[in-house]
Amino acid sequence: MTSIEIGELKRLAASYAMERVMPFEDVTGLASALVRRYLLGLGDSLDDYAASWDASREDPDGCTWPEWVALGADVQARYIGLEVAQCAAAMLDRIASSEADIHDVMPEAWEAAR
């Protein structure tokens, strides 16, 4: 895949991922920041996406999807976007569940003078 093709795939995947994480987005922009972060190394992960797709392309009803190489960029981007959105949602859940604990260790007053 050329760098132009990877760039287009990344753009499409980001669009699909953002559509899925939009319910989690707030004024901080954390959801979209996570999507951008997870797509940074897309070029290095393409073989992993292909292997994952090919290993799971038979659905529970017995329908078999085409191999990764036979897919158009749009379907590949939807698959990548879905995975990236799931990663972002999982990270947002982890942050939300541990956020209350971050203030458990308050600094010493003298540390403010450093």
Side-chain angles (χ1 to χ4, degrees):
M1 213 173 221
T2 68
S3 61
I4 293 173
E5 291 169 327
I6 292 172
E8 179 64 10
L9 189 61
K10 186 183 290 189
R11 185 190 67 73
L12 288 170
S15 176
Y16 294 129
M18 284 307 304
E19 186 178 309
R20 289 189 172 261
V21 299
M22 202 46 69
F24 302 102
E25 191 69 281
D26 61 12
V27 296
T28 66
L30 186 54
S32 57
L34 287 169
V35 166
R36 287 191 308 274
R37 182 187 186 286
Y38 295 148
L39 284 172
L40 281 177
L42 177 62
D44 296 333
S45 303
L46 287 177
D47 289 341
D48 294 335
Y49 285 112
S52 176
W53 172 274
D54 287 341
S56 66
R57 60 192 183 100
E58 185 174 324
D59 72 23
D61 297 326
C63 178
T64 302
W65 289 70
E67 292 182 358
W68 182 262
V69 295
L71 298 175
D74 188 58
V75 178
Q76 288 179 350
R78 282 183 185 273
Y79 185 71
I80 293 166
L82 174 61
E83 192 271 341
V84 167
Q86 290 172 341
C87 290
M91 184 55 74
L92 290 167
D93 284 344
R94 286 181 188 164
I95 291 169
S97 69
S98 66
E99 200 168 40
D101 300 336
I102 64 172
H103 295 291
D104 286 351
V105 181
M106 298 298 270
E108 301 291 337
W110 57 265
E111 290 180 288
R114 282 189 190 179

